[in-house]
Amino acid sequence: MVWVPGGTFWMGSEDFYPEERPVHQVTVDAFWMDAHQVTVAEFRRFVKDTGHVTTAEVAPDPADYPDADRSLLVPGSLVFTPPDHPVSLDDYRRWWSWVPGADWRHPEGPGSNVGGRERHPVTHVSYADTLAYAAWAGKEVPTEAEWEFAARGGLDRKTYAWGDEFTPGGKHQANTWQGQFPWQNLAEDGYVGTAPIASFRPNGYGLADMAGNVWEWTSDFYTADHGASGKNVAPASLCCVPRNPRVEAGEARDDEAYPRRVIKGGSHLCAPNYCLRYRPAARQGETEETSTAHIGFRCVVRGPGPS
């Protein structure tokens, strides 16, 4: 883990998406943070030690989703399935598919596996899975403010975790999407899909992949007003984070039945033409039970600093 000194910083941004406003000052105490996203190998050790079964591996109870399509009420998760031609960006279902049997061991569904991806970030993990891992490891899930402060690496009010220029010296600093999303991936950064952790230079605090690769869960409930607190409200935009189809089936029910948590950092699917969210200020709301091929996490420890 890496020691992140506490301090006061300007949280949010006025320059990009509505849910990042208003910019406001926030103070956080110092804490320890995982130097990189939790990997497949680390998550495998947790599962072996505890027998944990992830949300994606459990079929939901039909009684909880009386109006749902029964074909969706099976173990599974959301998998990115890119089209081979340009499509309208107004419906994420053109590139996201609910795949029965997809989970952290089978990231593309049955027949796939994580062999050779032991150092890649684990994916297809819900918020409950994140909490369970953190408890096992003696750690916690970061707050949104802790996460954003850490991501900035001491560069307050900068656009990216490394400064204001996206590719300084022509070099990519994170695993993001190059080309026209969702059909054209030029892979100029060297990766299609997730990258091994710490494949790019860490930020000023020594934290790797605080932009791109996979989104990361935080413990904060989501509100569309960045400065608000209390009751959850619907997100201003959903960007590249799809709705869990299990939840869509029950949208007529009270939204409080599906609490949303803030996810941060963007992913390898974030592109300038669709989701420019590989920035510290960027944020999205995601239902706690959702798992996808591009959401992972890292943990923190709040306690004494280096001696």
Side-chain angles (χ1 to χ4, degrees), residues 9-29:
F9 73 109
W10 289 96
M11 189 173 181
S13 173
E14 299 285 352
D15 301 326
F16 294 92
Y17 299 110
E19 67 272 13
E20 299 170 22
R21 307 168 190 155
V23 175
H24 54 291
Q25 277 197 315
V26 176
T27 299
V28 298
D29 294 330

Side-chain angles (χ1 to χ4, degrees), residues 20-272:
E20 299 170 22
R21 307 168 190 155
V23 175
H24 54 291
Q25 277 197 315
V26 176
T27 299
V28 298
D29 294 330
F31 56 95
W32 294 93
M33 187 175 230
D34 288 342
H36 55 75
Q37 295 152 344
V38 172
T39 65
V40 167
E42 290 169 331
F43 198 79
R44 179 186 289 144
R45 288 195 291 273
F46 154 65
V47 170
K48 183 177 180 179
D49 189 54
T50 65
H52 179 80
V53 179
T54 62
T55 300
E57 297 173 278
V58 178
D61 184 347
D64 294 333
Y65 303 91
D67 300 321
D69 181 343
R70 287 298 188 265
S71 67
L72 299 176
L73 299 181
V74 297
S77 191
L78 286 155
V79 175
F80 179 66
T81 52
D84 61 3
H85 58 278
V87 296
S88 173
L89 300 178
D90 61 358
D91 187 350
Y92 60 77
R93 288 171 291 190
R94 294 187 173 98
W95 54 88
W96 282 105
S97 299
W98 174 258
V99 178
D103 55 45
W104 74 271
R105 293 185 180 91
H106 311 96
E108 289 79 51
S112 67
N113 60 65
V114 288
R117 288 188 268 188
E118 290 80 6
R119 286 180 52 79
H120 286 236
V122 68
T123 56
H124 296 289
V125 285
S126 69
Y127 184 67
D129 300 327
T130 299
L131 286 176
Y133 177 96
W136 169 78
K139 302 178 181 181
E140 298 180 82
V141 181
T143 66
E144 179 181 7
E146 287 172 333
W147 196 100
E148 184 169 331
F149 180 84
R152 293 185 177 279
L155 300 178
D156 200 17
R157 308 193 83 163
K158 297 294 184 181
T159 301
Y160 304 106
W162 51 87
D164 285 326
E165 186 179 353
F166 179 53
T167 52
K171 295 183 178 180
H172 287 279
Q173 306 296 307
N175 179 17
T176 63
W177 184 287
Q178 299 87 50
Q180 293 298 304
F181 184 86
W183 66 279
Q184 180 195 51
N185 189 346
L186 301 177
E188 293 171 349
D189 59 14
Y191 299 99
V192 174
T194 60
I197 50 95
S199 293
F200 298 86
R201 179 186 297 180
N203 72 3
Y205 292 146
L207 297 163
D209 303 314
M210 296 301 286
N213 217 12
V214 295
W215 288 92
E216 300 182 24
W217 288 104
T218 75
S219 62
D220 279 53
F221 286 105
Y222 180 87
T223 63
D225 178 356
H226 196 9
S229 61
K231 179 178 171 62
N232 296 330
V233 294
S237 59
L238 282 171
C239 173
C240 50
V241 179
R243 292 292 299 276
N244 186 331
R246 300 174 180 175
V247 172
E248 286 182 339
E251 280 184 325
R253 296 165 61 185
D254 189 341
D255 191 60
E256 288 186 350
Y258 305 106
R260 293 178 179 275
R261 302 280 175 168
V262 175
I263 56 175
K264 297 282 282 183
S267 79
H268 62 278
L269 299 180
C270 283

